[in-house]
Amino acid sequence: MYRTVRPLLFALDPETSHTLGLRALQAAYRFPMGQRMLTRLYSHNTPQIATRIMGIDFPNPICLAAGLDKNSEYIGPLACLGFGWIELGTVTPLPQVGNPRPRLFRISERLAVINRMGFNNQGIHTFVENLKRAGHPCIIGANIGKDKDTPLERASNDYITGINAVYTAVDYIAINISSPNTPGLRDLQDENILFQFLTTLKEAQTRLHQTHGRYVPLAIKISPDLTQDQLRQIAHTLRDAQIDAVIATNTTLTRPDFENDPRGYEAGGLSGKPLAPLATHAVKVLFDELRGQIPIIGVGGISNAMDAWERLIAGADLVQIYTALIYEGP
């Protein structure tokens, strides 16, 4: 079905087709018997391989990565597509328009996408209201970030605002400190900043755990552009701060094998197939340091079963996809 409509979607501006595709999925879901139809078509695509990490029982190891549904508007239809769980966001405390358009670019021959969206979203209040309306059809993670104008020294305040807002509505919270499209955000990964930042978030998590009697894990999403030494240092810091999981990785500012392709020089983060070697390397380095002490969620360039298997062999416990869904559909 998707292969039939993909040429029509790809004839449009990528951001327009992104919105149109999600709205079409929502319309199908709301059609009489639509939910049953989508489930019957797609839910069997992923084998039911139960996996337990962070104290959560995932029905299968495949997740929809953050970025597709930033405002938690399409939870119901996305939950029908066979994912073990879905990650929503990135969402910030205040609404943000993001960067000027165009800000999303397909590189179809390479199964890649470049984006410089800039955390465009409707804000944490709308995000939570949409979550409440959707109910809880599957395991849900919320990916949170800081407002663009918040100085780095006050970034933890924005993340605590996000944690407070979503804590009772989701199963885990992903802390995005690695998007390349918010100025200065990646500086939070610096070893001189990271431990205190994470300690502050863990204190907020502890307070909420005591208040609500429910433990919601924190997962930190990191960059693929870190050196091997930086990855090792981050692994130690995550362990010292007792973080529940690490998501490796976000998009890259590098352009592997794009020397003769002018489209590679669009500013923004690169995702899709060219990212796979970097993301797999990050998983391997993290696993060498952590040895199962902290779960690893692998993401970046996974487009088929062999890609997923390679990431699991490298040390990931679970995997996430995004760009492959754009090119191949459910």
Side-chain angles (χ1 to χ4, degrees):
M1 183 185 298
Y2 183 76
R3 289 185 181 275
T4 303
V5 301
R6 190 177 75 170
L8 301 175
L9 292 172
F10 275 39
L12 302 171
D13 162 77
E15 193 167 347
T16 301
S17 67
H18 173 98
T19 303
L20 185 62
L22 284 172
R23 288 179 178 172
L25 182 65
Q26 182 82 286
Y29 176 78
R30 289 175 174 169
F31 193 77
M33 303 295 288
Q35 180 177 349
R36 182 176 295 182
M37 178 190 71
L38 287 171
T39 301
R40 185 171 295 176
L41 279 172
Y42 297 120
S43 65
H44 67 280
N45 288 352
T46 310
Q48 297 302 296
I49 305 170
T51 306
R52 182 175 177 83
I53 71 164
M54 302 188 290
I56 302 170
D57 291 310
F58 295 89
N60 71 61
I62 310 295
C63 171
L64 175 63
L68 193 75
D69 186 0
K70 293 176 179 287
N71 300 304
S72 62
E73 296 174 284
Y74 304 99
I75 298 172
L78 290 173
C80 292
L81 300 185
F83 295 108
W85 83 111
I86 57 178
E87 190 171 303
L88 306 167
T90 298
V91 62
T92 55
L94 298 176
Q96 296 191 154
V97 297
N99 292 320
R101 297 175 70 165
R103 54 193 180 180
L104 186 63
F105 308 90
R106 300 186 203 96
I107 308 176
S108 298
E109 310 86 71
R110 298 174 182 266
L111 298 179
V113 166
I114 293 174
N115 93 82
R116 51 173 180 263
M117 304 298 285
F119 284 175
N120 58 306
N121 72 98
Q122 297 172 12
I124 196 70
H125 176 75
T126 298
F127 183 91
V128 172
E129 289 302 308
N130 289 341
L131 273 175
K132 291 176 180 177
R133 279 193 292 270
H136 217 104
C138 64
I139 294 168
I140 293 173
N143 185 300
I144 63 174
K146 80 171 188 72
D147 292 328
K148 180 180 179 180
D149 296 331
T150 299
L152 205 62
E153 59 270 19
R154 294 209 298 272
S156 59
N157 295 337
D158 279 7
Y159 286 95
I160 289 171
T161 296
I163 291 169
N164 286 336
V166 304
Y167 193 86
T168 60
V170 299
D171 298 288
Y172 75 93
I173 302 169
I175 309 298
N176 189 343
I177 56 173
S178 51
S179 170
N181 300 314
T182 296
L185 183 72
R186 286 184 166 191
D187 292 344
L188 290 170
Q189 298 171 114
D190 185 270
E191 63 178 295
N192 297 315
I193 299 174
L194 185 59
F195 181 74
Q196 184 55 55
F197 170 76
L198 296 179
T199 299
T200 302
L201 301 194
K202 285 293 292 186
E203 289 170 353
Q205 180 196 42
T206 299
R207 287 194 298 272
L208 289 163
H209 181 199
Q210 293 170 346
T211 299
H212 299 287
R214 177 174 181 261
Y215 185 83
V216 178
L218 299 182
I220 307 302
K221 189 167 186 175
I222 65 169
S223 165
D225 299 332
L226 298 161
T227 67
Q228 190 156 304
D229 286 343
Q230 287 173 320
L231 285 167
R232 287 173 175 155
Q233 181 59 52
I234 281 178
H236 295 158
T237 303
L238 296 177
R239 185 169 52 209
D240 292 345
Q242 298 182 325
I243 295 300
D244 300 292
V246 55
I247 303 173
T249 66
N250 214 313
T251 57
T252 179
L253 287 173
T254 67
R255 296 293 184 265
D257 302 322
F258 273 73
E259 293 83 358
N260 300 315
D261 193 333
R263 294 168 301 172
Y265 293 97
E266 287 287 353
L270 174 73
S271 65
K273 202 68 175 174
L275 173 58
L278 282 172
T280 301
H281 173 73
V283 169
K284 288 179 178 177
V285 174
L286 290 169
F287 184 77
D288 283 345
E289 296 298 320
L290 295 170
R291 294 290 171 179
Q293 294 174 317
I294 295 176
I296 300 169
I297 300 170
V299 58
I302 296 171
S303 59
N304 56 48
M306 288 307 298
D307 291 340
W309 181 243
E310 180 183 29
R311 209 63 53 92
L312 295 170
I313 290 295
D317 297 274
L318 304 167
V319 296
Q320 297 182 334
I321 66 168
Y322 180 160
T323 304
L325 187 68
I326 305 302
Y327 286 109
E328 301 296 335

